[in-house]
């Protein structure tokens, strides 16, 4: 187990990377991520707030999550030793 100060440093570095990745998103992608993941809104609530259809919300959230996953892929690899979207239990 890593010493506590190293854990805290790692969490701060990860938080900084996550914030930078969020800031790099277009406003309409950043908005859906924050409304869903931080505010906990439903798709319907998000659609009403952003004045778009539920389908648009779903599409934006999907694409925003893909962009975040790509932007943070190296963080995931450091943590798990595998790339996002792969599974050690794959039967393929």
């Amino acid at each position: 187990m890593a010493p506590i100060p190293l854990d805290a440093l790692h969490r701060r570095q990860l938080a900084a990377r996550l914030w930078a990745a969020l800031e790099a998103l277009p406003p309409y992608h950043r908005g859906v991520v924050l409304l869903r993941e931080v505010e906990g809104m439903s798709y319907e609530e998000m659609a009403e707030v952003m004045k778009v259809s539920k389908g648009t919300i779903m599409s934006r959230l999907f694409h925003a999550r893909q962009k975040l996953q790509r932007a943070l892929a190296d963080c995931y690899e450091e943590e798990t030793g595998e790339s996002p979207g792969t599974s050690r239990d794959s039967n393929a």
Side-chain angles (χ1 to χ4, degrees):
M1 177 176 269
I4 301 289
L6 287 179
D7 288 344
L9 175 63
H10 179 71
R11 281 193 303 275
R12 282 194 307 270
Q13 289 172 336
L14 187 57
R17 288 285 310 278
L18 177 57
W19 187 250
L22 280 168
E23 286 290 312
L25 291 175
Y28 55 90
H29 279 159
R30 185 173 47 251
V32 293
V33 170
L34 294 176
L35 289 175
R36 181 69 176 179
E37 305 303 339
V38 176
E39 299 296 328
M41 289 185 172
S42 69
Y43 291 152
E44 291 82 7
E45 292 169 323
M46 294 164 59
E48 187 175 319
V49 167
M50 296 187 86
K51 298 183 180 358
V52 297
S53 71
K54 180 181 169 186
T56 298
I57 293 296
M58 294 170 71
S59 174
R60 287 181 181 177
L61 191 55
F62 174 80
H63 291 288
R65 287 175 172 162
Q66 279 190 325
K67 288 179 180 182
L68 288 173
Q69 187 178 41
R70 284 192 300 270
L72 300 169
D74 61 322
C75 294
Y76 184 83
E77 289 170 3
E78 288 173 12
E79 199 66 30
T80 66
E82 57 183 83
S83 298
T86 63
S87 173
R88 293 177 192 198
D89 298 328
S90 176
N91 291 330

